[in-house]
Amino acid sequence: MNDAFIHSEDDFLALINRYFPNEHKELSIARGDDCAVFACPPSLCVTTDLFVEDVHFRTSYFAPADIGHKALAVNVSDLAAMGAVPLGFSLALVAPRGVPVSFWEPFLQGMAHLAATHDLVLTGGDLSDGDKITVGITVWGAPGQRVLARGRTRIGDVLFVIGRVGMARVGLGVLEAGQDLDAFPACIRQHVHPEPLVEQGRLLAALPGVRGAMDISDGLEQDVPRLLAPGQGATMFMDPSVIHPEVTMYCARHHLNQARFCLRGGEDYALLGAVEPEYFEIVRERIPEAWKLGIVTANGFSLDGTGIRLQGFDHFSHEQP
Amino acid sequence: MNDAFIHSEDDFLALINRYFPNEHKELSIARGDDCAVFACPPSLCVTTDLFVEDVHFRTSYFAPADIGHKALAVNVSDLAAMGAVPLGFSLALVAPRGVPVSFWEPFLQGMAHLAATHDLVLTGGDLSDGDKITVGITVWGAPGQRVLARGRTRIGDVLFVIGRVGMARVGLGVLEAGQDLDAFPACIRQHVHPEPLVEQGRLLAALPGVRGAMDISDGLEQDVPRLLAPGQGATMFMDPSVIHPEVTMYCARHHLNQARFCLRGGEDYALLGAVEPEYFEIVRERIPEAWKLGIVTANGFSLDGTGIRLQGFDHFSHEQP
């Protein structure tokens, strides 16, 4: 079976059924009909992300289980960033004919494991032939105590980050170069297997004074301006103690400015948030991974005391990955 | 602008904003945040479909507006088949760098026109570079008076079809051959621009005795067994009067059995339903496009008095389109 190929949609659906339970207490019509039907809360958070071969990942250095995991993780991270609790998802999968069952089994297992961790039910989707593995996922969830949106910051708010930055960028650099793999295990893991910070997002939505949050998918340089209300700026500091030793080592070896490097690193799926200054200590107490990035200002950006122009990553304007 | 290419995600999002309104009474957080947040009914119908270049459509004979329309229409048709009212959708779009703005403008316009027709709001999505135009849409809606599911038929139920069958298959055949295009305008239109039967599905969900329904996307040969409860069969008749004259002409020219041809034709997005026999007349009265296909039996299939084995279309086991 393992070296075989998928011969029919029914074969593939049977494979999916092996890894994903097709019942859930909220689900009145499950996979296999025109639509799924499920009970839902009074309001719903919905997000969609693509994960495309040779754009977002390469099969040469991504294990199939990590591809399945990350395709779902980047979606769940968007829910986490709103403070929402994930409920269900649908899967649009371009599965090229030449990809064997031995790929799809761990792929589905990796995705199913993350789904089970968060009690997420796969309600359905669609399969197609095509040239490149393309995973389109739409995930929905219930808002937490508050919805952590963008664009609601005020001057003087504390900007903070939950999690690390720069690690996934190191992981990508090392994997693309194909050298020194043994020296950067944590960074490689962060690139191929990011964990969405669902519990931290949920906690954040319940804490006082929190103005909003988002996940850092494109790097702080691009994402900080997106969190801020229009026209605002930020004074930022990249405390060396929050930078992972592997990132420090990578930047030293390549003669890179570590703080700038971390500002540009995307795909860590850390959370970026803003909180009224008098409540920042509560955030830090309740969520130990939180660290202070800086302060919202009237305009302009600075990093470690030097003015900077912010620009970020864009899937259209840069070569990828 | 028209001969230009998309240079950044922001360019593309600006284009999307030109065609799709970003506010709706049910939408508390719209496009541009990590998630959209919207008010929803106590239960929701959700479905996902892919529409992939050179698998589901070719740019050589599909106008960009029709690609945009059909990518959404095939999804809305799944909601129609459940008797649900569409509310919103998300768009996962692989937009290869080499496709110009002059393609995307009518593409988005075609999609936006169908969305506006049904008051469907685009809540968000994702964009990626890639090799082939790939449209993954997830659409959700509110169940109608009843949910029209599959697998609930009983022996003696009347099977009926709302709409035509076989036309899209003729359209595909003519377009692929590239000949006689002028002789089959209705069939070509049916292939490139199917209209989802939302109003008919909604009506059906409110009529007495209706046991279930689905949309005919892969052809009756594959879809009839899917509508039936496990093990059941059907006695079917293909009344020549329900067959479009262009289909009759096409089958005569190619020496094809017209009834068998229509049984195999997918992608018309007609609705297939089952109703208790005493209520079929009400269906026919209320929905003039409905016609009787046959009767649910204990087992086995027949067409026009001859026993047949049913088999259908599968995106993995056949060459496509």
Side-chain angles (χ1 to χ4, degrees), chain B residues 46-66:
Chain B
V46 177
T47 183
T48 296
D49 265 315
L50 277 161
F51 200 57
V52 181
E53 183 180 359
D54 294 333
V55 176
H56 302 95
F57 68 90
R58 293 196 200 281
T59 53
S60 56
Y61 58 70
F62 259 82
D66 288 329

Side-chain angles (χ1 to χ4, degrees), chain B residues 8-170:
Chain B
S8 72
E9 268 185 53
D10 286 346
D11 284 358
F12 212 118
L13 297 177
L15 200 60
I16 286 174
N17 287 336
R18 279 210 347 247
Y19 292 100
F20 291 92
N22 199 15
E23 46 190 32
H24 192 274
K25 61 185 194 306
E26 309 295 353
L27 202 60
S28 56
I29 295 193
R31 294 194 300 274
D33 212 310
D34 293 288
C35 303
V37 183
F38 54 84
C40 55
S43 76
L44 216 55
C45 297
V46 177
T47 183
T48 296
D49 265 315
L50 277 161
F51 200 57
V52 181
E53 183 180 359
D54 294 333
V55 176
H56 302 95
F57 68 90
R58 293 196 200 281
T59 53
S60 56
Y61 58 70
F62 259 82
D66 288 329
I67 297 171
H69 169 90
K70 189 169 176 179
L72 181 57
V74 300
N75 276 280
V76 173
S77 177
D78 282 319
L79 286 179
M82 304 291 276
V85 178
L87 296 172
F89 73 109
S90 75
L91 172 64
L93 182 64
V94 175
R97 221 172 291 212
V99 179
V101 173
S102 59
F103 175 92
W104 296 115
E105 283 178 337
F107 170 90
L108 293 172
Q109 202 162 25
M111 188 178 285
H113 184 264
L114 180 63
T117 303
H118 297 288
D119 192 25
L120 255 172
V121 59
L122 175 62
T123 62
D126 195 19
L127 291 168
S128 171
D129 190 22
D131 292 345
K132 301 275 188 179
I133 300 166
T134 302
V135 194
I137 287 180
T138 296
V139 61
W140 49 89
Q145 219 160 305
R146 202 173 345 154
V147 170
L148 303 173
R150 305 180 185 184
R152 298 178 184 179
T153 52
R154 295 195 199 161
I155 294 165
D157 282 354
V158 171
L159 290 172
F160 60 89
V161 172
I162 299 172
R164 303 272 196 174
V165 291
M167 291 182 73
R169 191 178 177 203
V170 167

Side-chain angles (χ1 to χ4, degrees), chain A residues 31 43 76 79 125 154 170 203 209 213 235:
Chain A
R31 294 194 301 273
S43 77
V76 172
L79 286 178
R154 295 196 201 162
V170 169
L203 260 171
T235 301

Side-chain angles (χ1 to χ4, degrees), chain A:
Chain A
M1 178 73 176
N2 253 33
D3 294 327
F5 295 93
I6 304 282
H7 292 292
S8 73
E9 268 185 55
D10 285 346
D11 284 359
F12 212 119
L13 297 177
L15 201 59
I16 286 174
N17 287 335
R18 280 209 348 246
Y19 292 100
F20 291 91
N22 199 14
E23 46 189 33
H24 192 274
K25 60 184 194 307
E26 309 296 353
L27 201 61
S28 57
I29 294 192
R31 294 194 301 273
D33 211 310
D34 293 286
C35 301
V37 183
F38 53 83
C40 55
S43 77
L44 216 55
C45 296
V46 177
T47 183
T48 295
D49 265 315
L50 276 162
F51 200 57
V52 180
E53 183 180 359
D54 294 333
V55 177
H56 302 93
F57 68 90
R58 294 197 200 281
T59 54
S60 55
Y61 58 69
F62 259 84
D66 288 330
I67 298 171
H69 169 89
K70 189 168 176 179
L72 180 56
V74 300
N75 277 279
V76 172
S77 177
D78 282 319
L79 286 178
M82 303 289 276
V85 178
L87 296 172
F89 74 109
S90 74
L91 173 64
L93 182 63
V94 175
R97 222 171 292 210
V99 179
V101 173
S102 59
F103 175 91
W104 296 116
E105 283 178 335
F107 170 90
L108 292 171
Q109 201 161 27
M111 188 178 286
H113 183 265
L114 180 62
T117 302
H118 297 287
D119 192 25
L120 255 173
V121 59
L122 174 63
T123 62
D126 196 18
L127 291 168
S128 171
D129 191 21
D131 291 346
K132 301 276 189 181
I133 299 166
T134 302
V135 193
I137 287 180
T138 296
V139 62
W140 50 90
Q145 222 161 300
R146 202 172 346 153
V147 170
L148 301 174
R150 304 181 186 184
R152 298 178 185 179
T153 52
R154 295 196 201 162
I155 294 166
D157 282 354
V158 171
L159 291 173
F160 61 90
V161 172
I162 299 173
R164 304 271 195 174
V165 291
M167 291 182 72
R169 191 176 178 205
V170 169
L172 175 63
V174 169
L175 288 165
E176 284 287 308
Q179 288 171 350
D180 286 333
L181 299 185
D182 292 347
F184 300 96
C187 287
I188 288 173
R189 175 81 178 165
Q190 186 65 28
H191 182 69
V192 300
H193 198 92
E195 287 294 350
L197 304 179
V198 174
E199 192 46 39
Q200 291 88 336
R202 220 155 62 106
L203 260 171
L204 210 54
L207 294 183
V210 175
R211 208 78 86 170
M214 65 184 294
D215 69 337
I216 308 169
S217 51
D218 293 335
L220 284 166
E221 198 169 90
Q222 187 154 315
D223 289 332
V224 166
R226 290 174 174 159
L227 180 70
L228 301 177
Q232 292 176 340
T235 301
M236 297 180 285
F237 298 92
M238 195 72 73
D239 180 350
S241 74
V242 302
I243 296 175
H244 192 278
E246 286 181 12
V247 175
T248 302
M249 177 169 70
Y250 183 88
C251 289
R253 283 193 192 178
H254 292 83
H255 312 290
L256 299 166
N257 177 316
Q258 172 174 284
R260 287 305 301 251
F261 180 89
C262 287
L263 208 67
R264 287 198 176 148
E267 292 209 90
D268 287 294
Y269 300 98
L271 300 182
L272 168 68
V275 60
E276 297 175 50
E278 59 270 38
Y279 292 107
F280 174 62
E281 276 311 313
I282 297 178
V283 171
R284 186 142 58 179
E285 269 166 34
R286 296 295 307 279
I287 307 173
E289 308 93 316
W291 51 273
K292 181 171 173 175
L293 173 68
I295 298 288
V296 177
T297 62
N299 56 58
F301 294 91
S302 71
L303 177 65
D304 295 339
T306 306
I308 53 169
R309 244 189 100 239
L310 290 199
Q311 56 179 17
F313 175 75
D314 186 307
H315 276 303
F316 280 86
S317 53
H318 293 259
E319 284 304 316
Q320 263 296 92

Side-chain angles (χ1 to χ4, degrees), chain B residues 192-263:
Chain B
V192 300
H193 198 94
E195 287 294 349
L197 305 179
V198 173
E199 193 45 39
Q200 292 88 336
R202 220 156 62 106
L203 260 172
L204 210 53
L207 294 183
V210 175
R211 207 79 85 171
M214 64 184 293
D215 70 335
I216 308 170
S217 51
D218 293 334
L220 285 166
E221 199 169 270
Q222 186 154 314
D223 288 333
V224 166
R226 290 174 173 160
L227 181 70
L228 301 177
Q232 291 177 341
T235 301
M236 297 180 285
F237 299 93
M238 194 71 73
D239 179 350
S241 74
V242 301
I243 296 174
H244 192 278
E246 287 181 11
V247 176
T248 303
M249 177 170 70
Y250 183 88
C251 289
R253 283 194 191 176
H254 292 82
H255 311 292
L256 299 165
N257 177 315
Q258 170 175 285
R260 286 306 299 253
F261 179 89
C262 288
L263 207 66

